[in-house]
């Protein structure tokens, strides 16, 4: 897994997730064979590549043990100017995207195995191009920068409003207008996403929950299941041999953590 504050590139075990709903734009890729995806739990489509919008509930199944995914944080890209390949309604040559994704995962796997520091640009490597940046109101951007440094920190909407220099009601309105999602939902996703930095730990679930910013293990488990469709325990067990490449910023991974046996 190549993990940073703006992108996650994962190739690993899928497990048996229930309904999931990531806060990122997610591109799924079957590394060798097609997989199945459904948005209502009844109508399933078999495909080798699929694009899921942020916060879109969906189910995924695969006959293989592995599935690849690239997760793009929507506040970092102009969602209205995405290339046709990355729009949920389709368009463009999806076969070309599939091959690009597979080459990207193959390269990251090779770099992880030999411990090389991979100075890679995620978007061109996995998606074939650099995605257009999103222009945000500077006051909202100030809050996002604060949260980006530590997504697990406690930052209620009242504190975020003070940081932005806006009134409480004005901040909430501007945040949703700029990002298309409420501040509360955005914070819930960022906290759940920060679990990915801890999946190789051997600590107790309670310790990890507190470090990720949850008040207790019950809240932790409920939130993680809501977004990932899996319990925290299942995620940690399935990640024991996962190699993690950490990025402090897009294009500059700084460490290879726990490459596994």
């Amino acid at each position: 897994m190549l993990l940073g504050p703006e992108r996650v590139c994962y190739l690993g075990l899928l497990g048996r997730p229930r309904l999931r709903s990531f806060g990122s734009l997610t591109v799924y890729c079957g590394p060798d064979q097609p997989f199945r995806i459904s948005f209502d739990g009844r109508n399933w489509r078999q495909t080798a590549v699929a694009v899921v919008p942020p916060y879109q509930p969906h189910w995924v199944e695969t006959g293989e043990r592995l599935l690849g995914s690239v997760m793009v944080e929507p506040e970092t890209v102009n969602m209205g100017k995405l290339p046709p390949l990355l729009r949920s309604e389709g368009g463009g040559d999806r076969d070309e995207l599939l091959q690009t994704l597979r080459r990207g995962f193959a390269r990251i796997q090779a770099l992880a195995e030999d411990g090389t520091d991979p100075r890679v640009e995620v978007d061109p490597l996995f998606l074939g191009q650099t995605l257009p940046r999103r222009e945000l109101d500077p006051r909202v951007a100030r809050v996002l920068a604060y949260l980006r440094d530590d997504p697990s920190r406690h930052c209620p909407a009242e504190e975020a409003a003070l940081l932005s220099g806006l009134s409480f009601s004005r901040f909430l309105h501007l945040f949703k207008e700029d990002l298309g999602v409420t501040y509360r939902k955005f914070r819930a996703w960022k906290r759940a996403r920060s679990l990915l930095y801890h999946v190789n730990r051997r600590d107790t679930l309670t310790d990890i929950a507190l470090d990720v910013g949850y008040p207790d293990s019950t809240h932790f488990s409920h939130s993680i299941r809501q977004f990932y469709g899996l319990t925290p325990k299942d995620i940690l067990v399935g990640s024991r041999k996962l190699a993690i490449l950490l990025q402090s910023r897009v294009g500059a991974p700084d460490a290879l953590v726990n490459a596994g046996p």
Side-chain angles (χ1 to χ4, degrees), residues 115-176:
T116 303
D117 180 14
R119 299 284 172 173
V120 299
E121 292 286 346
V122 171
D123 291 1
L125 178 62
F126 285 90
L127 305 175
Q129 58 191 292
T130 299
L131 301 184
R133 296 292 296 187
R134 189 173 199 150
E135 293 185 9
L136 296 168
D137 186 287
R139 295 163 293 186
V140 172
R142 190 181 308 140
V143 174
L144 295 182
Y146 179 72
L147 295 174
R148 183 180 187 273
D149 293 337
D150 183 6
S152 64
R153 73 188 347 149
H154 182 64
C155 184
E158 293 84 357
E159 180 181 341
L162 288 174
L163 184 62
S164 71
L166 298 167
S167 69
F168 179 69
S169 60
R170 176 58 182 154
F171 167 72
L172 292 181
H173 176 79
L174 182 61
F175 191 93
K176 186 172 183 180

Side-chain angles (χ1 to χ4, degrees), residues 1-2 7-11 27 29 49 68-72 86 96-109 120-129 245 247:
M1 178 166 62
L2 181 61
R7 305 288 188 271
V8 177
C9 305
Y10 172 80
L11 179 62
V27 184
C29 163
V49 60
S69 62
V70 176
M71 303 167 71
V72 177
L86 298 181
E96 179 183 351
L97 175 60
L98 173 63
Q99 299 309 316
T100 301
L101 287 162
R102 286 176 173 173
R103 287 193 298 268
F105 284 118
R107 182 178 176 191
I108 293 300
Q109 278 186 293
V120 299
E121 292 286 346
V122 171
D123 291 1
L125 178 62
F126 285 90
L127 305 175
Q129 58 191 292
L245 294 165
Q247 285 188 304

Side-chain angles (χ1 to χ4, degrees), residues 86-99:
L86 298 181
R87 296 174 188 166
S88 56
E89 67 270 17
D93 188 348
R94 284 284 174 89
D95 184 63
E96 179 183 351
L97 175 60
L98 173 63
Q99 299 309 316

Side-chain angles (χ1 to χ4, degrees), residues 52 62 92 134 140 159-161 176 186 192 212 218 222 261:
V52 181
T62 178
R134 189 173 199 150
V140 172
E159 180 181 341
K176 186 172 183 180
F186 178 86
V212 174
T218 300
H222 175 76

